[in-house]
Amino acid sequence: MESATAREAPGAETPRAPVPPPSPAETPAAPRVRPRLVFRTQLAHGSPTGKIEGFTNVRELYAKIAEAFGIAPTEILFCTLNSHKVDMQKLLGGQIGLEDFIFAHVRGETKEVEVTKTEDALGLTITDNGAGYAFIKRIKEGSIINRIEAVCVGDSIEAINDHSIVGCRHYEVAKMLRELPKSQPFTLRLVQPKRAFDMIGQRSRGSKCPMEARVASGRETLRLRSGGAATVEEAPSEFEEEASRKVDDLLESYMGIRDPELACTMVETSKKTGSVREFARCLDSVLGEFAFPDEFVVEVWAAIAEAREACG
């Protein structure tokens, strides 16, 4: 006896109800196409113009520049934006304007100088390139180092008393120099950037020349990060620029370093906190390796608050 349920013929398909088309609200959005970011670059002492892309941090940037010019990444000491000169005001930090022109300064001559520390401070401000080289960003007028003609802004510090410091961060190098005993000579091995003919003899930042005119870069920048992918962001606000400048000044006075990217990170951290105590805790979790003293953190918090009030 057959059941009341109709049997399916072999191979027959059960008819399916038509699927209604998705409503406009349900239509998945097309993925946003990321713009192709291509930057122009030259070697600061002179070269053809190269084009680079596809980097997310400073080490990758140096690798791309090195590949473009057939050199080793370790040959690059630092980069400046829109100027081929050793101009620390145009030093590449953690942000690049989308139309900025990148000049790479490569290793030149090595030199050794003997220094006798007659005062607590040598008069040096140290920064680093984010890829293993610490170098001189500023020389204080009338200081011990200022009296040694062979030492110039832009020189990379390769060794102290024949002890290599390649790979050390700027704050580590500044600490080593600060802890050297007084009245005892020590040796610095320096590497100066390779210079074009018109840069020979330049000890510090010179006057502007037509080649240095800054290319307008709009309001967007490429933000390079030590961890994670680079992101295209709006240029810093007036408050962020002023606060970062004040924090960078404090880094120099307390630690003998200048680091705009570190200053920017500290300002960003402050925006997520509501008190100096909470700010200190966040700095410990984000930048614990610096071991900032409490009085420094308090001054940074006050400087950021001052910048916020000044900028409305």
Side-chain angles (χ1 to χ4, degrees):
M1 179 178 176
E2 293 187 8
S3 69
T5 306
R7 296 177 182 264
E8 292 183 0
E13 295 183 0
T14 305
R16 297 179 182 176
V19 179
S23 65
E26 296 173 346
T27 303
R32 185 179 176 184
V33 178
R34 184 176 178 180
R36 183 183 174 195
L37 302 178
V38 180
F39 294 86
R40 292 171 299 155
T41 183
Q42 286 183 1
L43 300 181
H45 64 278
S47 75
T49 298
K51 292 184 178 180
I52 56 172
E53 60 180 306
F55 54 88
T56 60
N57 56 49
V58 172
R59 287 183 183 273
E60 290 180 6
L61 166 63
Y62 286 7
K64 292 290 184 180
I65 294 173
E67 183 182 352
F69 296 110
I71 61 175
T74 52
E75 287 292 301
I76 301 173
L77 297 179
F78 56 86
C79 294
T80 50
L81 299 177
N82 309 308
S83 173
H84 70 294
K85 292 192 174 183
V86 181
D87 185 345
M88 294 295 108
Q89 300 302 314
K90 301 195 178 199
L91 193 65
L92 183 149
Q95 293 186 336
I96 308 174
L98 298 190
E99 294 182 19
D100 280 345
F101 200 113
I102 303 170
F103 289 90
H105 298 255
V106 302
R107 293 173 63 92
E109 294 181 6
T110 300
K111 54 193 175 183
E112 287 199 356
V113 296
E114 186 175 275
V115 184
T116 300
K117 192 176 181 182
T118 55
E119 305 168 25
D120 290 331
L122 292 169
L124 283 178
T125 297
I126 310 296
T127 190
D128 65 41
N129 69 355
Y133 290 142
F135 58 93
I136 299 169
K137 187 170 186 179
R138 183 178 295 178
I139 298 174
K140 186 177 179 181
E141 197 72 31
S143 65
I144 298 170
I145 294 296
N146 187 237
R147 295 191 287 270
I148 304 174
E149 286 292 325
V151 182
C152 302
V153 168
D155 286 351
S156 172
I157 304 174
E158 191 169 68
I160 302 172
N161 285 334
D162 290 327
H163 172 69
S164 174
I165 60 162
V166 174
C168 294
R169 292 300 313 275
H170 47 21
Y171 64 92
E172 296 173 311
V173 177
K175 184 171 183 287
M176 291 177 202
L177 293 172
R178 203 162 46 239
E179 292 176 348
L180 289 169
K182 287 173 67 172
S183 303
Q184 185 174 322
F186 66 92
T187 302
L188 288 176
R189 185 162 75 241
L190 307 170
V191 180
Q192 68 182 35
K194 192 171 185 179
R195 302 177 190 271
F197 178 76
D198 67 334
M199 298 160 67
I200 293 174
Q202 175 186 324
R203 185 150 194 232
S204 59
R205 186 168 68 95
S207 58
K208 291 183 179 179
C209 68
M211 188 176 176
E212 291 187 53
R214 183 175 176 82
V215 180
S217 57
R219 293 294 300 167
E220 286 191 321
T221 62
L222 181 67
R223 177 78 183 273
L224 303 178
R225 302 179 186 278
S226 54
T231 54
V232 176
E233 300 178 357
E234 288 293 308
S237 65
E238 182 186 358
F239 154 68
E240 290 167 332
E241 285 187 341
E242 177 63 13
S244 294
R245 184 189 64 77
K246 286 178 176 289
V247 173
D248 206 18
D249 288 345
L250 287 171
L251 285 169
E252 182 173 23
S253 63
Y254 267 83
M255 303 176 66
I257 64 173
R258 289 195 79 87
D259 189 332
E261 182 60 17
L262 174 59
C264 179
T265 299
M266 296 177 79
V267 172
E268 285 184 353
T269 302
S270 76
K271 289 156 65 176
K272 305 170 188 173
T273 59
S275 68
V276 66
R277 184 173 295 181
E278 187 182 356
F279 178 55
R281 282 200 301 268
C282 287
L283 285 183
D284 281 342
S285 63
V286 176
L287 301 167
E289 70 271 21
F290 287 91
F292 296 123
D294 291 342
E295 63 270 19
F296 172 73
V297 174
V298 171
E299 283 210 39
V300 168
W301 178 260
I304 294 172
E306 184 180 317
R308 185 179 287 111
E309 184 176 344
C311 298

